[in-house]
Every structure is written in structure tokens, then in C-alpha cells.
Amino acid sequence: MCRSIKTLRPPVLPEEATEDDIHAAALQYVRKVSGFRAPAAHNREVFEQAVDEIAEATRKLLDGLEVRGSGPSGGSGGSGGAAKRPVREPASVSGAA
């Protein structure tokens, strides 16, 4: 039905996940869970809302993860080897009330 969702955190993804990466993963998740590649007109709003909410949850997850050993020194020394992702402002969600 749909391609696999790829890992969006370092070191698997060499750079920070883009909004397109996050949206694509959220869309794939909603497609898999709902069983629909594209929603019917009467389900479009709830489908798109689910994609937006999952994308936001994904942003929060990625922003909060600590990836140990991913610093410039390869994880040796420093502040225990933990690198925290920078906090980004979430993109505006269309149709949010």
C-alpha cells in the first residue's frame, strides 16, 4: 500500500529532518492506519487533520530526543556525549482553531 517510513533522527538521517520529511512520514502513517491511500471527500478533513497532528507530534518527538554520541567529538568527553536537537518553532497548521 505505501512505502516504509524512514528514520528521521541522526545519525540515520545525516541532517535535521525537513518539514517535507516529517509531513511525508505523517502521511504514510495515516495512510497505513486508515487503509486509504487518499481519503474520500467525506473523510478528507479528518484525514488531513490527522496528518497535521501526527506531523506536530513527530516534530515534538524529534526536537526532544537526545542522541548520544552524535556530537562533533564522536561522543567522547564534553557534556556526557549527549547532543540535544535545537528547538524549532512549529509550522502553522492550516485550519487549526
Side-chain angles (χ1 to χ4, degrees), residues 2-19:
C2 62
R3 63 180 171 80
S4 296
I5 298 171
K6 66 181 180 178
T7 301
L8 298 180
R9 65 161 180 80
V12 177
L13 192 66
E15 298 179 11
E16 186 171 312
T18 66
E19 289 300 313

Side-chain angles (χ1 to χ4, degrees), residues 24-69:
L27 178 59
Q28 292 303 321
Y29 177 82
V30 172
R31 285 175 172 171
K32 182 61 94 176
V33 170
S34 70
F36 298 111
R37 185 182 186 297
H42 62 278
N43 287 326
R44 187 174 326 272
E45 184 177 344
V46 70
F47 190 93
E48 291 174 357
Q49 181 180 359
V51 171
D52 291 343
E53 290 175 3
I54 291 166
E56 177 62 23
T58 301
R59 277 185 219 95
K60 288 179 182 178
L61 172 65
L62 292 173
D63 288 345
L65 287 176
E66 285 188 21
V67 181
R68 295 177 183 243

Side-chain angles (χ1 to χ4, degrees), residues 10 64-86:
L65 287 176
E66 285 188 21
V67 181
R68 295 177 183 243
S70 66
S73 64
S76 60
S79 62
K84 191 165 183 170
R85 293 174 57 93

